[in-house]
Amino acid sequence: MTASRVLVLNSGSSSVKYQLLDMADRSRLAVGLVERIGEETSRLVHEPLTGPAAAGGKREQAGPIADHEAALKAVAAELAADGTGLDSPELAAVGHRVVHGGTRFTRPTVIDDEVLAEIRNLVPLAPLHNPANVTGIEVARSLRADIPQVAVFDTAFHSTMPEYVARYAIDAGTAEAYSIRRYGFHGTSHAYVSRATAALLGRPVEDVNVIVLHLGNGASASAVRGGVCVETSMGMTPLEGLVMGTRSGDLDPAVVFHLARVGGLSVDEIDSLLNKKSGLLGMCGDNDMREVLRRAGEGDGTARLAFEAYVHRLKKYIGAYSAVLGRVDAVAFTAGVGENAHQVREAALDGLAELGLVLDLEANAARSPQPRLISADYARVAVAVVPTDEELEIATQTYALVTQ
């Protein structure tokens, strides 16, 4: 029997999201979440999706769950109860989402001690994410040291950007000394959606140029030429680019100097302001687009302003990436806002008919969990809604690496 299962782990600072997939048919066997790790209110929610255990539906285990080791052991116990445990001979590998790979990691990588040390060395570039990713890897390796553990990096898909795109126009020596360059994020989503969009059009990915708009609480855009990323909106960190739920996106760097010199804010206070208290939240007090839209519809001026700022930034990037690509075959919306907020899609493309972008308003307003086209039949550029599947992308890349 050929091992074909992959466990995908996404370890956050206080959570672990996981999925168990069978790559023989790309099916999901189980999904789950451990949240608020280290708190009294921590809990594990596990849902078996196949076999006898699926009939019982979701199972919940209330905390406290002390740390990531306890969390992963609890996950292992839930999977074992389904008959799909980590000790199963059908488990081929564990795939780990790692946020930052720097310039060192540009493709999925089997984890050994040297690789793990390199991921630790990248912590200064992703201080909120890489430490938790490292912890998840360490614990998973201790539980199943005999099978491959694979790191799939959020930054890897964007490593194909030309050097003149990736470099900031600052002193070259300083940039080199401190690894200052544009890396990009949400790479697994952009990779999956760009390929899925080509499939939706019935064309080889090599023949399709697509602008991917990943719009969740974090948001990013990418320009993908023939399956290869040539530009993306996030930079050295996920702060650059689009207006997001709590992040400012593009900002004059002198704002930071002004806040420090005139406002007296510390570096940490400015970091918190721009990453956690800005974007939609900073402008109107809500970072949930559903609430922003509700309030704007009821005549709330601050919510309307936040929505207009969000859409304007989107429109700017669509126009810029149209110029970068030269020929655009499709614009694809994905992630929570991109997949579900038809008002955002309509507003972002309003007035862009000269770029070949025209919506079928009825198709745009219809809800569906399936990939679909929402552009008018006569539009020169296709507009698609493509639900992202980062876990499947991680599992696909992991399984391809360990079976090659």
Side-chain angles (χ1 to χ4, degrees):
M1 177 175 58
T2 302
S4 59
R5 293 177 180 175
V6 175
L7 176 63
V8 175
L9 295 178
N10 181 354
S11 299
S13 58
S14 61
S15 67
V16 175
K17 298 177 184 177
Y18 64 94
Q19 291 194 15
L20 180 65
L21 300 97
D22 191 333
M23 301 312 295
D25 58 5
R26 296 164 68 89
S27 63
R28 283 173 174 75
L29 306 181
V31 300
L33 166 69
V34 188
E35 60 183 349
R36 299 190 291 273
I37 294 171
E39 300 178 22
E40 288 295 320
T41 57
S42 55
R43 64 172 190 152
L44 185 157
V45 179
H46 175 83
E47 183 176 11
L49 300 176
T50 189
K58 292 182 180 178
R59 304 195 296 266
E60 182 171 334
Q61 178 185 140
I65 299 172
D67 52 30
H68 282 72
E69 181 174 5
L72 285 176
K73 286 182 176 178
V75 170
E78 292 291 345
L79 292 170
D82 297 343
T84 57
L86 267 66
D87 59 350
S88 169
E90 296 179 67
L91 187 63
V94 178
H96 297 267
R97 179 199 180 209
V98 179
V99 167
H100 216 304
T103 57
R104 167 72 169 78
F105 299 108
T106 60
R107 56 181 56 87
T109 305
V110 174
I111 300 167
D112 57 19
D113 292 341
E114 179 184 352
V115 169
L116 187 56
E118 287 288 335
I119 295 172
R120 286 196 192 96
N121 289 339
L122 292 168
V123 164
L125 293 176
L128 299 179
H129 298 96
N130 272 35
N133 301 156
V134 167
T135 300
I137 291 168
E138 290 174 333
V139 175
R141 289 180 83 197
S142 72
L143 294 175
R144 277 302 303 266
D146 60 312
I147 63 171
Q149 309 274 332
V150 175
V152 177
F153 299 90
D154 273 13
T155 50
F157 182 64
H158 306 300
S159 66
T160 54
M161 290 189 297
E163 191 68 6
Y164 59 80
V165 174
R167 291 285 293 272
Y168 290 111
I170 67 170
D171 172 71
T174 302
E176 179 70 21
Y178 298 103
S179 302
I180 299 171
R181 61 186 289 119
R182 302 182 66 243
Y183 296 99
F185 299 89
H186 295 145
T188 51
S189 178
H190 287 280
Y192 177 85
V193 171
S194 58
R195 287 201 310 273
T197 301
L200 185 63
L201 298 178
R203 295 169 59 183
V205 67
E206 295 81 10
D207 294 344
V208 175
N209 292 352
V210 58
I211 298 170
V212 178
L213 302 171
H214 177 108
L215 307 180
N217 190 50
S220 60
S222 68
V224 183
R225 179 181 291 123
V228 176
C229 178
V230 296
E231 172 67 283
T232 192
S233 59
M234 287 180 167
M236 177 177 167
T237 77
L239 183 58
E240 187 179 354
L242 303 175
V243 175
M244 306 177 220
T246 66
R247 298 184 187 123
S248 65
D250 292 338
L251 189 78
D252 181 346
V255 171
V256 175
F257 313 147
H258 183 78
L259 290 171
R261 292 168 179 161
V262 179
L265 275 67
S266 69
V267 170
D268 287 344
E269 287 171 328
I270 297 171
D271 188 321
S272 177
L273 171 70
L274 298 182
N275 277 292
K276 299 178 181 178
K277 301 175 184 177
S278 295
L280 294 174
L281 180 68
M283 293 190 75
C284 73
D286 267 311
N287 66 311
D288 188 323
M289 181 57 77
R290 291 167 296 189
E291 281 301 299
V292 175
L293 288 167
R294 181 190 64 78
R295 288 172 50 193
E298 293 174 354
D300 186 314
T302 58
R304 168 55 58 178
L305 178 64
F307 175 76
E308 289 174 345
Y310 183 98
V311 167
H312 177 71
R313 189 76 57 83
L314 263 180
K315 192 170 293 192
K316 281 177 65 175
Y317 271 89
I318 293 169
Y321 286 1
S322 295
V324 167
L325 289 171
R327 188 198 82 239
V328 180
D329 298 300
V331 172
F333 289 85
T334 194
V337 174
E339 294 170 27
N340 297 298
H342 67 89
Q343 303 96 323
V344 168
R345 299 191 296 262
E346 181 177 347
L349 300 182
D350 183 45
L352 300 186
E354 288 296 319
L355 297 180
L357 292 159
V358 184
L359 285 177
D360 177 325
L361 296 181
E362 184 176 343
N364 180 49
R367 296 182 68 90
S368 170
Q370 301 302 316
R372 60 199 185 277
L373 294 176
I374 57 171
S375 43
D377 291 340
Y378 60 86
R380 189 171 74 252
V381 178
V383 181
V385 178
V386 179
T388 193
D389 199 331
E390 294 175 89
E391 289 78 17
L392 178 58
E393 179 68 20
I394 291 170
T396 299
Q397 293 188 30
T398 295
Y399 192 64
L401 180 61
V402 301
T403 57
Q404 65 183 8

